[in-house]
Amino acid sequence: MTAASAVVAIDAGQTGMKVRVAPHGAAPVDQVFPGIRTHEPLLPQLASVAIAAARHHRVQIDVLAAGVSGLTEAESDAASLRAAVAAESPDRVLLAHDSVTSYLGALGDRPGAVVAAGTGVVTLAVGRHRVARVDGWGNIMGDAGSGYWIGREALEAVMRAYDGRGRLTALSTLVAERWPEVESAYIELQGADDRVAQIAALARGVAELAADDAVAADICRRAAAELALSVATALDRVADDPGAEAQVAAIGGVFRAEVIREGFARELALRHPRAVVRRAQGAGVDGTAELARLGPGHPLLSHVSVA
């Protein structure tokens, strides 16, 4: 008996890989695999997961689509991924940065902008003819308004208060709960493999303190302003009609904080009055599945490796 053909969509992140197997004529099924191992080559991991999912569900891969967190230019090689799954004989393979698939998951194929703010942040805007990416440059060079950025600002505020260079703040108590010897916190962080995650984890506490602490409130206000600036900039870069309404979705853990979510909406209204913030219609794996359905000539395909 010949196996049914299917679209296999992979939403690949470091915490997990969500896979959707959609056999033609049947309901799709989702499955979760362990996350990307950053110390190992990426494409063999994607191929292994795709083949494992196809064999588990007893289907033949017709189209393989993958959206990958932090995909580099060197890794963006759909032809090599297709070769790695050659035993499945796919008709088409698509490989994209997860900013593309997050966009498709949140807004579908309509024009607008999506800002995804978690530990890091990236904004993608899509017009009728152009695509613009803003930020997503990592914690050393960018990620303004991200969880890491908020945590880093909190740590600096605490040390300024400790030295007497800045205002007293309840953030000092927040930081002391994690690093009781505050003078040695920077030494511990410099030696920690997960220092980015540790610093980003402070963002939730900063948002919770914002209602009663002026320093925390100022950090949240500036984070919201940075995120709004990225969205407004991206929309301006792709605009065909500057007076047209623009759909915007804000996704990721940073936006779970009401103070940042509301501040972002206020700042965006000032910077881009025609922007309309709406709820995301789906998640990353939905966007990866949508990637497989993009028609020829769609502007997002210029940011996708296809083989």
Side-chain angles (χ1 to χ4, degrees):
M1 181 177 176
T2 304
S5 61
V7 174
V8 175
I10 304 174
D11 178 32
Q14 294 182 34
T15 57
M17 288 194 246
K18 299 174 184 176
V19 180
R20 177 166 296 167
V21 177
H24 297 296
V29 181
D30 290 353
Q31 191 174 359
V32 178
F33 288 81
I36 296 169
R37 300 178 295 278
T38 55
H39 60 286
E40 297 179 15
L42 170 67
L43 299 186
Q45 296 180 65
L46 296 178
S48 176
V49 166
I51 292 169
R55 293 180 179 173
H56 177 78
H57 295 285
R58 300 181 181 178
V59 298
Q60 191 77 24
I61 299 175
D62 178 24
V63 178
L64 172 60
V68 183
S69 174
L71 182 70
T72 66
E73 185 174 349
E75 296 166 333
S76 187
D77 185 354
S80 293
L81 179 56
R82 183 169 184 165
V85 295
E88 298 295 316
S89 303
D91 286 340
R92 193 161 58 125
V93 172
L94 303 98
L95 183 58
H97 189 275
D98 69 343
S99 61
V100 172
T101 50
S102 292
Y103 183 99
L104 289 168
L107 290 183
D109 65 355
R110 64 176 61 85
V114 174
V115 53
T119 297
V121 61
V122 63
T123 297
L124 195 72
V126 178
R128 300 199 180 279
H129 306 289
R130 293 183 294 274
V131 176
R133 170 178 158 172
V134 172
D135 211 340
W137 306 128
N139 63 83
I140 294 175
M141 297 170 62
D143 285 351
S146 68
Y148 176 88
W149 185 95
I150 291 168
R152 172 65 179 77
E153 291 292 308
L155 287 172
E156 180 171 350
V158 166
M159 298 321 296
R160 284 181 173 276
Y162 184 82
D163 288 341
R165 294 176 294 143
R167 290 178 290 178
L168 295 178
T169 171
L171 294 171
S172 298
T173 301
L174 175 70
V175 170
E177 290 172 356
R178 175 63 183 82
W179 297 281
E181 297 295 330
V182 70
E183 288 191 6
S184 63
Y186 78 101
I187 298 295
E188 291 184 38
L189 282 168
Q190 286 176 0
D193 292 336
D194 64 342
R195 60 184 173 275
V196 172
Q198 286 192 49
I199 293 171
L202 294 171
R204 180 176 178 178
V206 176
E208 290 173 349
L209 289 170
D212 301 308
D213 183 82
V215 175
D218 181 62
I219 292 172
C220 291
R221 179 193 59 77
R222 289 187 287 116
E226 290 285 359
L227 296 168
L229 173 60
S230 290
V231 170
T233 300
L235 287 172
D236 288 344
R237 285 173 55 188
V238 303
D240 298 300
D241 177 4
E245 184 176 280
Q247 302 292 307
V248 174
I251 62 176
V254 166
F255 289 106
R256 293 191 192 117
E258 183 178 2
V259 62
I260 293 177
R261 191 170 63 249
E262 293 185 350
F264 167 78
R266 286 194 302 271
E267 287 284 341
L268 184 59
L270 293 172
R271 296 176 183 275
H272 205 291
R274 300 291 291 171
V276 177
V277 181
R278 55 171 291 171
R279 184 184 298 273
Q281 66 184 29
V285 73
D286 301 299
T288 309
E290 185 69 26
L291 180 65
R293 294 190 287 268
L294 286 183
H298 194 285
L300 271 177
L301 285 176
S302 65
H303 288 244
V304 179
S305 177
V306 183

